[in-house]
Amino acid sequence: MKRLLYLKFLLGYLLFFVLGFLVIAFFSAHLTENYLLHSAGERLYNEACLLADACTPYGGTGANLNTVSPRIETVAGCIDSTAWLMDRQGQIVYDTARTDTGRQIADFNPADTGKAHYVTGRFYGHFSYDMISVYAPISGSYQIFGYIVLHLPVKEALSSRDSILNVVYLTGLIIFALSLILLIVFHRIVYRPLRKITVAARQFAEGHLEYRCQVHSGDEMGYLSNTLNFMASELSKMEEYQRKFISDVSHDFRSPLTTIKGYLEAIMDGTIPPELHDKYIRLVIAETERLTKLTQNTLALQSLESRGTYLDLTDFDINQVVKNTAAAFEGACLPKRITFDLTFPSRILMVRADLSKIQQVLYNLIDNAIKFSHNGSVIWLETSERFDKVFVSVRDTGIGIPKDSQKKIWERFYKTDLSRGRDKRGTGLGLSIVKEIIQAHGQNIDVISTIGVGSEFIFSLQKPSGEEGRRSPS
């Protein structure tokens, strides 16, 4: 498997590292330079203001230079700068560097600094390299006598920039090195589990449903792994169901087909005499009806599962439906001398459901009860109501259902070991269809059964909205 996700994440991390370092280098250098220039400018301006205040009593006259110049020299030496004493016209009266005394600065304008306390540049073209320049007015008696001007080479102000940037770069590199932890965490917590999940998905796609994804964690990856394992387990069960389905269908189709083939061959070769043809033709017709029923039930169940159940909801009397359905089984009950005991809480009990499908539910449940009831027994059909629900019960005193089979009887083609000996005509689909129909109504069906005692199936239906069932005295 190609490690594309890992490579993408690694390339993304490297790109983040390069871009992050470039951004840090650019902004750090820019911000550091601005900070150093601003700091140096403010420091020079404060010193210039102090010198200007010291020069105020002397009026800025040349006669007092011997008194003022020592202090200017001292301050300029302390801050490694060049200091000028200028008059109002821009002439340099005194220069601590002894090189520009008496020179005139053309176009000198103290307002050029604007609101800033300093300017950077070559100071009206006087210097051959960039300087930080500040000036403070020497004033007294409400007039300006001159200016104290301090100059500091920009390269001097920025002399500590490289040292500061080295610290910033080193810190950035340490942070990026520590961020490798993210790569390690991604590899261990995300990539490795995801790789295992991908392998498991491929195994499942190739049909190896016994494979299990070994990701044991309490996060989303662990949940996804458990979900895949559960899916594989369910698919494995579905494959088993499919094999069982094919086996059961083959078995249920093979028996009547063998019977039909045997009887027809016997009729054709004369083994069965002409006077018995009608009898065996009726047996053949019965077997074909069994095949027809099996096919219809299979198609009905497939339709319910694949497209869902379309319900034509109407209000009807469930008591009357129970009566009519029970009456349809009188012919089947006569040979076994089975009778029905019908119990209703009222003459009319209205429900809201799909009439034809509820008839099918009752038909399947009563048909099962007759198949597994003893000769001369009674089948109880009962309706009851509680709050907004109506409950319908079909109870027999037949062979019962083993406890370990009671959850499986709703599976298609499932037959208990006890029923296989008694039910020669069943398809194993009736209860599956019943379950699908009841669930489509949003209701429930339960079974209570004991071996040798009998079984009771109870399902619920909804009363019509806004009604209490319109009961009449029985």
Side-chain angles (χ1 to χ4, degrees):
M1 180 181 66
K2 296 181 179 179
R3 305 174 65 177
L4 295 180
L5 181 62
Y6 188 79
L7 292 176
K8 289 179 180 178
F9 187 84
L10 184 59
L11 290 175
Y13 176 81
L14 293 177
L15 182 62
F16 168 75
F17 173 80
V18 173
L19 293 179
F21 189 80
L22 291 177
V23 169
I24 289 177
F26 175 78
F27 282 102
S28 297
H30 181 71
L31 293 175
T32 302
E33 182 175 325
N34 287 342
Y35 170 76
L36 292 176
L37 290 177
H38 179 75
S39 178
E42 291 296 322
R43 180 164 54 90
L44 288 176
Y45 179 75
N46 291 334
E47 294 295 340
C49 289
L50 292 175
L51 285 175
D53 290 341
C55 293
T56 297
Y58 307 105
T61 60
N64 296 313
L65 283 177
N66 292 334
T67 305
V68 176
S69 58
R71 182 161 188 172
I72 297 176
E73 292 278 356
T74 302
V75 172
C78 290
I79 60 176
D80 296 326
S81 64
T82 300
W84 291 352
L85 177 60
M86 299 178 62
D87 61 18
R88 294 176 58 186
Q89 289 72 35
Q91 183 177 6
I92 301 173
V93 177
Y94 177 74
D95 175 17
T96 56
R98 308 291 194 278
T99 57
D100 295 316
T101 301
R103 293 188 61 178
Q104 181 73 32
I105 303 299
D107 301 323
F108 173 70
N109 184 3
D112 287 343
T113 59
K115 295 182 179 180
H117 293 159
Y118 66 93
V119 293
T120 58
R122 301 193 177 184
F123 201 73
Y124 302 100
H126 181 76
F127 297 101
S128 59
Y129 47 88
D130 289 340
M131 304 285 283
I132 301 176
S133 302
V134 300
Y135 30 86
I138 301 173
S139 60
S141 301
Y142 303 102
Q143 61 178 324
I144 296 176
F145 302 111
Y147 300 92
I148 292 293
V149 182
L150 298 179
H151 303 287
L152 179 68
V154 169
K155 64 179 181 179
E156 293 292 334
L158 301 179
S159 60
S160 60
R161 178 184 59 181
D162 292 341
S163 298
I164 296 175
L165 289 179
N166 287 338
V167 174
V168 172
Y169 296 156
L170 181 60
T171 304
L173 289 174
I174 293 174
I175 292 174
F176 281 119
L178 292 176
S179 67
L180 285 172
I181 297 174
L182 293 176
L183 193 61
I184 298 173
V185 170
F186 169 81
H187 180 78
R188 293 181 60 86
I189 297 181
V190 178
Y191 179 72
R192 288 205 319 194
L194 186 60
R195 189 175 175 86
K196 292 181 180 179
I197 290 172
T198 304
V199 172
R202 181 191 298 173
Q203 292 291 328
F204 298 153
E206 293 175 354
H208 306 300
L209 298 178
E210 72 284 352
Y211 185 86
R212 288 296 174 264
C213 183
Q214 302 297 329
V215 176
H216 307 289
S217 62
D219 55 14
E220 288 81 356
M221 288 297 180
Y223 176 78
L224 179 59
S225 173
N226 292 334
T227 302
L228 283 176
N229 289 335
F230 176 75
M231 179 193 71
S233 177
E234 292 300 309
L235 288 176
S236 180
K237 292 180 181 178
M238 288 301 296
E239 281 196 347
E240 182 62 29
Y241 292 157
Q242 185 178 13
R243 287 192 291 269
K244 188 173 181 298
F245 172 84
I246 295 174
S247 174
D248 290 339
V249 169
S250 300
H251 177 271
D252 285 342
F253 270 87
R254 183 172 59 249
S255 296
L257 287 174
T258 301
T259 302
I260 292 171
K261 180 175 180 292
Y263 288 157
L264 291 178
E265 288 178 346
I267 291 174
M268 291 181 64
D269 61 19
T271 303
I272 297 177
E275 60 271 17
L276 296 179
H277 283 185
D278 288 344
K279 172 185 176 181
Y280 286 98
I281 288 175
R282 282 194 294 272
L283 292 175
V284 169
I285 292 174
E287 292 298 310
T288 59
E289 289 176 350
R290 178 183 171 191
L291 288 174
T292 301
K293 183 180 178 181
L294 177 61
T295 303
Q296 289 174 344
N297 285 345
T298 304
L299 293 175
L301 185 60
Q302 182 182 12
S303 176
L304 290 173
E305 291 181 345
S306 62
R307 296 193 301 271
T309 307
Y310 172 76
L311 299 178
D312 182 16
L313 299 178
T314 57
D315 297 343
F316 59 88
D317 180 14
I318 187 63
N319 291 345
Q320 188 62 47
V321 174
V322 172
K323 292 177 184 178
N324 295 341
T325 307
F329 282 94
E330 288 183 1
C333 292
L334 286 175
K336 300 180 67 173
R337 304 185 309 281
I338 293 175
T339 59
F340 291 110
D341 186 323
L342 279 63
T343 304
F344 303 137
S346 58
R347 187 169 61 85
I348 297 176
L349 184 57
M350 301 297 292
V351 297
R352 183 166 183 79
D354 188 313
L355 175 58
S356 63
K357 289 184 169 55
I358 296 304
Q359 286 176 328
Q360 186 177 6
V361 168
L362 286 169
Y363 183 91
N364 290 350
L365 292 178
I366 295 173
D367 185 49
N368 272 355
I370 293 172
K371 289 176 186 176
F372 302 114
S373 291
H374 304 292
N375 292 341
S377 61
V378 178
I379 295 175
W380 286 268
L381 306 177
E382 181 180 356
T383 61
S384 60
E385 56 180 324
R386 186 177 182 184
F387 302 113
D388 61 340
K389 300 284 187 180
V390 171
F391 296 89
V392 182
S393 168
V394 178
R395 179 165 58 92
D396 62 63
T397 55
I399 62 176
I401 304 171
K403 186 175 181 180
D404 58 352
S405 298
Q406 292 180 16
K407 291 184 178 180
K408 300 178 181 180
I409 59 174
W410 310 109
E411 299 173 5
R412 52 189 179 184
F413 292 107
Y414 181 80
K415 294 182 181 181
T416 65
D417 293 335
L418 293 176
S419 69
R420 290 189 183 276
R422 295 284 299 269
D423 182 16
K424 300 299 184 181
R425 299 179 293 109
T427 64
L429 293 174
L431 292 180
S432 298
I433 294 175
V434 166
K435 184 79 168 181
E436 290 289 336
I437 292 175
I438 295 301
Q439 286 184 339
H441 281 78
Q443 302 299 319
N444 296 309
I445 183 168
D446 294 307
V447 61
I448 303 172
S449 184
T450 304
I451 295 294
V453 176
S455 304
E456 181 179 12
F457 289 86
I458 306 171
F459 65 90
S460 61
L461 293 174
Q462 186 70 39
K463 283 185 179 181
S465 58
E467 294 191 18
E468 293 299 324
R470 292 209 302 266
R471 299 197 298 180
S472 300
S474 50

PDB file of all heavy atoms in Angstrom, residues 5-15 180 183 186:
ATOM      1  N   LEU A   5      -0.708   9.233   2.227  1.00  0.00           N
ATOM      2  CA  LEU A   5      -1.154  10.108   3.300  1.00  0.00           C
ATOM      3  C   LEU A   5       0.019  10.528   4.180  1.00  0.00           C
ATOM      4  O   LEU A   5       0.144  11.701   4.539  1.00  0.00           O
ATOM      5  CB  LEU A   5      -2.223   9.397   4.136  1.00  0.00           C
ATOM      6  CG  LEU A   5      -2.801  10.212   5.297  1.00  0.00           C
ATOM      7  CD1 LEU A   5      -3.503  11.456   4.770  1.00  0.00           C
ATOM      8  CD2 LEU A   5      -3.766   9.366   6.119  1.00  0.00           C
ATOM      9  N   TYR A   6       0.882   9.573   4.489  1.00  0.00           N
ATOM     10  CA  TYR A   6       2.039   9.887   5.329  1.00  0.00           C
ATOM     11  C   TYR A   6       2.961  10.862   4.616  1.00  0.00           C
ATOM     12  O   TYR A   6       3.470  11.824   5.210  1.00  0.00           O
ATOM     13  CB  TYR A   6       2.775   8.596   5.667  1.00  0.00           C
ATOM     14  CG  TYR A   6       3.868   8.769   6.689  1.00  0.00           C
ATOM     15  CD1 TYR A   6       3.559   8.853   8.038  1.00  0.00           C
ATOM     16  CD2 TYR A   6       5.208   8.859   6.306  1.00  0.00           C
ATOM     17  CE1 TYR A   6       4.552   9.010   8.986  1.00  0.00           C
ATOM     18  CE2 TYR A   6       6.204   9.021   7.244  1.00  0.00           C
ATOM     19  CZ  TYR A   6       5.873   9.095   8.583  1.00  0.00           C
ATOM     20  OH  TYR A   6       6.853   9.282   9.512  1.00  0.00           O
ATOM     21  N   LEU A   7       3.208  10.635   3.303  1.00  0.00           N
ATOM     22  CA  LEU A   7       4.071  11.541   2.542  1.00  0.00           C
ATOM     23  C   LEU A   7       3.459  12.929   2.454  1.00  0.00           C
ATOM     24  O   LEU A   7       4.166  13.945   2.544  1.00  0.00           O
ATOM     25  CB  LEU A   7       4.311  10.964   1.142  1.00  0.00           C
ATOM     26  CG  LEU A   7       5.159   9.681   1.082  1.00  0.00           C
ATOM     27  CD1 LEU A   7       5.237   9.174  -0.348  1.00  0.00           C
ATOM     28  CD2 LEU A   7       6.564   9.934   1.629  1.00  0.00           C
ATOM     29  N   LYS A   8       2.144  12.994   2.262  1.00  0.00           N
ATOM     30  CA  LYS A   8       1.483  14.302   2.204  1.00  0.00           C
ATOM     31  C   LYS A   8       1.639  15.042   3.517  1.00  0.00           C
ATOM     32  O   LYS A   8       1.910  16.244   3.542  1.00  0.00           O
ATOM     33  CB  LYS A   8      -0.002  14.123   1.866  1.00  0.00           C
ATOM     34  CG  LYS A   8      -0.269  13.694   0.427  1.00  0.00           C
ATOM     35  CD  LYS A   8      -1.762  13.512   0.192  1.00  0.00           C
ATOM     36  CE  LYS A   8      -2.030  13.073  -1.237  1.00  0.00           C
ATOM     37  NZ  LYS A   8      -3.484  12.855  -1.475  1.00  0.00           N
ATOM     38  N   PHE A   9       1.436  14.321   4.614  1.00  0.00           N
ATOM     39  CA  PHE A   9       1.577  14.970   5.914  1.00  0.00           C
ATOM     40  C   PHE A   9       3.016  15.418   6.141  1.00  0.00           C
ATOM     41  O   PHE A   9       3.262  16.518   6.658  1.00  0.00           O
ATOM     42  CB  PHE A   9       1.151  14.004   7.017  1.00  0.00           C
ATOM     43  CG  PHE A   9       1.098  14.644   8.377  1.00  0.00           C
ATOM     44  CD1 PHE A   9      -0.024  15.337   8.779  1.00  0.00           C
ATOM     45  CD2 PHE A   9       2.174  14.545   9.247  1.00  0.00           C
ATOM     46  CE1 PHE A   9      -0.076  15.932  10.032  1.00  0.00           C
ATOM     47  CE2 PHE A   9       2.133  15.136  10.494  1.00  0.00           C
ATOM     48  CZ  PHE A   9       1.005  15.826  10.896  1.00  0.00           C
ATOM     49  N   LEU A  10       3.991  14.580   5.731  1.00  0.00           N
ATOM     50  CA  LEU A  10       5.390  14.931   5.899  1.00  0.00           C
ATOM     51  C   LEU A  10       5.759  16.141   5.049  1.00  0.00           C
ATOM     52  O   LEU A  10       6.442  17.066   5.515  1.00  0.00           O
ATOM     53  CB  LEU A  10       6.271  13.733   5.533  1.00  0.00           C
ATOM     54  CG  LEU A  10       7.782  13.905   5.745  1.00  0.00           C
ATOM     55  CD1 LEU A  10       8.077  14.209   7.202  1.00  0.00           C
ATOM     56  CD2 LEU A  10       8.534  12.660   5.298  1.00  0.00           C
ATOM     57  N   LEU A  11       5.302  16.140   3.793  1.00  0.00           N
ATOM     58  CA  LEU A  11       5.567  17.293   2.930  1.00  0.00           C
ATOM     59  C   LEU A  11       4.897  18.546   3.482  1.00  0.00           C
ATOM     60  O   LEU A  11       5.459  19.652   3.421  1.00  0.00           O
ATOM     61  CB  LEU A  11       5.072  17.013   1.506  1.00  0.00           C
ATOM     62  CG  LEU A  11       5.877  15.968   0.716  1.00  0.00           C
ATOM     63  CD1 LEU A  11       5.214  15.700  -0.633  1.00  0.00           C
ATOM     64  CD2 LEU A  11       7.321  16.444   0.507  1.00  0.00           C
ATOM     65  N   GLY A  12       3.710  18.392   3.998  1.00  0.00           N
ATOM     66  CA  GLY A  12       3.020  19.529   4.607  1.00  0.00           C
ATOM     67  C   GLY A  12       3.775  20.058   5.802  1.00  0.00           C
ATOM     68  O   GLY A  12       3.873  21.282   5.992  1.00  0.00           O
ATOM     69  N   TYR A  13       4.332  19.144   6.597  1.00  0.00           N
ATOM     70  CA  TYR A  13       5.114  19.584   7.752  1.00  0.00           C
ATOM     71  C   TYR A  13       6.374  20.323   7.311  1.00  0.00           C
ATOM     72  O   TYR A  13       6.730  21.366   7.866  1.00  0.00           O
ATOM     73  CB  TYR A  13       5.481  18.375   8.612  1.00  0.00           C
ATOM     74  CG  TYR A  13       6.384  18.733   9.776  1.00  0.00           C
ATOM     75  CD1 TYR A  13       5.863  19.277  10.941  1.00  0.00           C
ATOM     76  CD2 TYR A  13       7.767  18.540   9.694  1.00  0.00           C
ATOM     77  CE1 TYR A  13       6.677  19.616  11.994  1.00  0.00           C
ATOM     78  CE2 TYR A  13       8.596  18.875  10.748  1.00  0.00           C
ATOM     79  CZ  TYR A  13       8.046  19.414  11.897  1.00  0.00           C
ATOM     80  OH  TYR A  13       8.864  19.765  12.932  1.00  0.00           O
ATOM     81  N   LEU A  14       7.071  19.784   6.297  1.00  0.00           N
ATOM     82  CA  LEU A  14       8.281  20.455   5.799  1.00  0.00           C
ATOM     83  C   LEU A  14       7.948  21.824   5.214  1.00  0.00           C
ATOM     84  O   LEU A  14       8.690  22.792   5.411  1.00  0.00           O
ATOM     85  CB  LEU A  14       8.968  19.569   4.753  1.00  0.00           C
ATOM     86  CG  LEU A  14       9.562  18.252   5.280  1.00  0.00           C
ATOM     87  CD1 LEU A  14      10.133  17.440   4.116  1.00  0.00           C
ATOM     88  CD2 LEU A  14      10.641  18.528   6.316  1.00  0.00           C
ATOM     89  N   LEU A  15       6.837  21.894   4.475  1.00  0.00           N
ATOM     90  CA  LEU A  15       6.417  23.183   3.919  1.00  0.00           C
ATOM     91  C   LEU A  15       6.104  24.171   5.037  1.00  0.00           C
ATOM     92  O   LEU A  15       6.472  25.353   4.964  1.00  0.00           O
ATOM     93  CB  LEU A  15       5.191  22.984   3.026  1.00  0.00           C
ATOM     94  CG  LEU A  15       4.654  24.240   2.329  1.00  0.00           C
ATOM     95  CD1 LEU A  15       5.704  24.822   1.389  1.00  0.00           C
ATOM     96  CD2 LEU A  15       3.371  23.921   1.563  1.00  0.00           C
ATOM     97  N   LEU A 180       8.225  18.216  16.014  1.00  0.00           N
ATOM     98  CA  LEU A 180       8.336  16.858  15.466  1.00  0.00           C
ATOM     99  C   LEU A 180       7.519  15.861  16.287  1.00  0.00           C
ATOM    100  O   LEU A 180       7.174  14.782  15.799  1.00  0.00           O
ATOM    101  CB  LEU A 180       9.805  16.415  15.437  1.00  0.00           C
ATOM    102  CG  LEU A 180      10.677  17.037  14.339  1.00  0.00           C
ATOM    103  CD1 LEU A 180      12.130  16.655  14.561  1.00  0.00           C
ATOM    104  CD2 LEU A 180      10.212  16.581  12.966  1.00  0.00           C
ATOM    105  N   LEU A 183       4.506  15.014  14.513  1.00  0.00           N
ATOM    106  CA  LEU A 183       4.691  14.005  13.476  1.00  0.00           C
ATOM    107  C   LEU A 183       4.696  12.604  14.084  1.00  0.00           C
ATOM    108  O   LEU A 183       4.114  11.666  13.536  1.00  0.00           O
ATOM    109  CB  LEU A 183       6.000  14.273  12.735  1.00  0.00           C
ATOM    110  CG  LEU A 183       6.217  13.519  11.423  1.00  0.00           C
ATOM    111  CD1 LEU A 183       5.149  13.881  10.414  1.00  0.00           C
ATOM    112  CD2 LEU A 183       7.604  13.822  10.870  1.00  0.00           C
ATOM    113  N   PHE A 186       1.151  11.816  15.145  1.00  0.00           N
ATOM    114  CA  PHE A 186       0.357  11.482  13.959  1.00  0.00           C
ATOM    115  C   PHE A 186       0.658  10.055  13.498  1.00  0.00           C
ATOM    116  O   PHE A 186      -0.255   9.303  13.151  1.00  0.00           O
ATOM    117  CB  PHE A 186       0.660  12.483  12.844  1.00  0.00           C
ATOM    118  CG  PHE A 186       0.089  12.084  11.508  1.00  0.00           C
ATOM    119  CD1 PHE A 186      -1.239  12.311  11.205  1.00  0.00           C
ATOM    120  CD2 PHE A 186       0.887  11.472  10.551  1.00  0.00           C
ATOM    121  CE1 PHE A 186      -1.775  11.939   9.984  1.00  0.00           C
ATOM    122  CE2 PHE A 186       0.369  11.090   9.322  1.00  0.00           C
ATOM    123  CZ  PHE A 186      -0.967  11.336   9.046  1.00  0.00           C
TER     124      PHE A 186
END
